[in-house]
Amino acid sequence: MLGLGHVGTTVAVAFACAGLRVHGVDHDASRALAVAAGRLPFDDEEPELTRALADAHASGRLTASTSLDDVRDAGVVLVCVETPTAPAFEALRACCTQLGAVLRRGALVIVEATVAPGTMGAVVRPLIEAASGYTEGVDFLLGHCAERVMPGRLLANLRRMPRVCGGSPAATRRMVALYRAVVEGELDETDWVTAELTKTAENTHRDVAIAFANQLALACERAGADFLAVRALVEKIGDRRVLEAGAGVGGQCMPKDPWLFHAACDPSTPSLVPAARAINEAMPDHVVALVEEALGEAKVALDGARVALLGMSYKPGSAEARRTPSLVVRDRLLSRGVEVRAHDPCVAAFRGDLATVLEGADAAVLLVAHDAYVRLSPADLARPLRSKVLVDARLVFDPAGARAAGLVFRGVGRGR
Ligand code: SAJ
């Protein structure tokens, strides 16, 4: 296993718990040491994975180090390194070259990292062949099986989600036999490009659909309509489904994968990706504008106001707080002289007493629809607030109910 991040650690643990001997390698010594000691190399709340890692470590089937030399005799090598937006893939390229130098003849190499369509054939295969002197399909087999894990449900998702095994028939046969040890979901065999396109397309499709929901929400605000009312009427047409408008799109997959898909499209033809990404990435600024507008109605200037942000993770129920719209909202408000208080029931850094966070704040801004917030009534929110302002970025509260509770209300998609 090359790479001991969220994906690599989860996959390593799953195979070790299935009875295989697994050695994980990461150039980050702290990650390798954590896994070698039976501890998660990241501080997310993953109770099932934490227990399984401890079991795998106790069994002696899971070890870890920083040296690729330790995988010389591996029959299967899984590559789970980060693949950022730009298709340059420096980490993946370095990994392929270093792996090629130690790869055992007859081994199966599987890239689980999400890559731009075409990368397996144009980048991964030639780099491994050049570094090993081997020929793919003769001296080693090469496959692509993009991860489908999700923070907060890492192990459950790996076991449950269907997977696409891309490669030559010889490679996909071995991949299916391997993954059957840990995956309960369907295993489909196809070629590299189809597998690459499937993974990047599934998230691009979702990002574009979210962007449409956000654009509809902005149109509703501008026209004086309610997003939920319009959506309900649109969805009366059987095959129409509009996703949730909100404060933006966060997480490790959605902001990145559309650009990998875009990289495979003909640059001389129009693409949905830039527009969809621009719409979604502009939503945090729109939320800040709603906060400023609502505070203005309450005769409170943004500069010097005290604002409570409710929800810092990237989605409800998740402890994942990297690359989230909430962090953008927080930073924008701080740059405008706002005293920001942040709360999140799932993120350790932002846990604490909600009442204390709300007490004396001029405004409450709901950014993530965690159950703890959805259960609150407008009156619960109005009581501790100094200037009685509520901005709802996730379609949680009823505008009329909020105003009846004495709140100055603004909401994404909630036209007046
Ligand atoms: N979001 C919206 N509106 C929506 C849905 C999501 O604004 O209608 C936002 C969320 O708040 C979050 C971001 O988008 O900030 C991503 O949310 P997500 O539900 O797409 O969650 P992810 O990033 O964990 O997406 C994963 C993906 N699965 C994998 O990559 C294996 C995605 O393909 C799945 O569709 C999604 O989970 C899922 O269905 O839960």
Side-chain angles (χ1 to χ4, degrees), residues 114 146-151 153 157 160-161 199 202-204 206-207 209-211 213-214 231 241-255 257 277 280 283 313-316 318 323-325 367-369 393-394:
T114 302
E147 51 82 13
R148 281 179 163 165
V149 296
M150 189 188 316
R153 306 204 299 257
N157 253 39
R160 178 179 62 84
M161 296 287 278
K199 172 62 183 181
E202 69 193 36
N203 282 347
T204 302
R206 187 166 175 82
D207 194 55
I210 295 168
N214 285 328
R231 181 172 74 167
R241 184 165 178 276
V242 178
L243 292 183
E244 301 272 316
V249 173
Q252 297 302 307
C253 306
M254 304 300 276
D257 293 356
R277 292 275 73 236
N280 291 335
M283 292 312 288
S313 66
Y314 86 107
K315 68 191 289 188
S318 170
R323 293 187 66 167
T324 72
L367 295 169
V368 181
R394 292 291 179 182

Side-chain angles (χ1 to χ4, degrees), residues 153-177:
R153 306 204 299 257
L154 288 171
L155 204 51
N157 253 39
L158 185 149
R159 288 178 173 147
R160 178 179 62 84
M161 296 287 278
R163 299 291 291 273
V164 177
C165 299
S168 67
T172 58
R173 269 195 303 276
R174 281 186 60 184
M175 292 166 78
V176 168

Side-chain angles (χ1 to χ4, degrees), residues 1-2 23 25 67-74 77 99 102:
M1 175 60 60
L2 305 189
H23 185 83
V25 176
S67 168
L68 260 161
D69 270 335
D70 296 334
V71 297
R72 274 186 182 283
D73 63 352
V77 181
L99 171 62
V102 301

Side-chain angles (χ1 to χ4, degrees), residues 253-378:
C253 306
M254 304 300 276
K256 163 177 72 76
D257 293 356
W259 289 117
L260 298 178
F261 171 79
H262 178 70
C265 298
D266 179 345
S268 67
T269 58
S271 168
L272 288 167
V273 170
R277 292 275 73 236
I279 291 168
N280 291 335
E281 289 181 354
M283 292 312 288
D285 287 310
H286 179 65
V287 173
V288 171
L290 291 177
V291 172
E292 183 168 21
E293 185 185 303
L295 284 170
E297 183 179 325
K299 308 285 187 272
V300 176
L302 193 63
D303 186 358
R306 187 180 297 161
V307 173
L309 301 184
L310 307 187
M312 299 304 288
S313 66
Y314 86 107
K315 68 191 289 188
S318 170
E320 172 65 73
R322 296 173 298 168
R323 293 187 66 167
T324 72
S326 302
L327 292 175
V328 178
V329 172
R330 179 195 66 181
D331 295 346
R332 294 281 195 281
L333 290 174
L334 288 171
S335 71
R336 301 283 302 275
V338 173
E339 179 195 331
V340 175
R341 297 169 171 179
H343 180 271
D344 192 297
C346 298
V347 182
F350 300 111
R351 212 166 279 148
D353 181 40
L354 179 57
T356 306
V357 168
L358 290 170
E359 189 57 46
D362 293 300
V365 184
L366 184 117
L367 295 169
V368 181
H370 289 306
D371 291 344
Y373 304 142
V374 175
R375 286 196 290 266
L376 294 170
S377 72

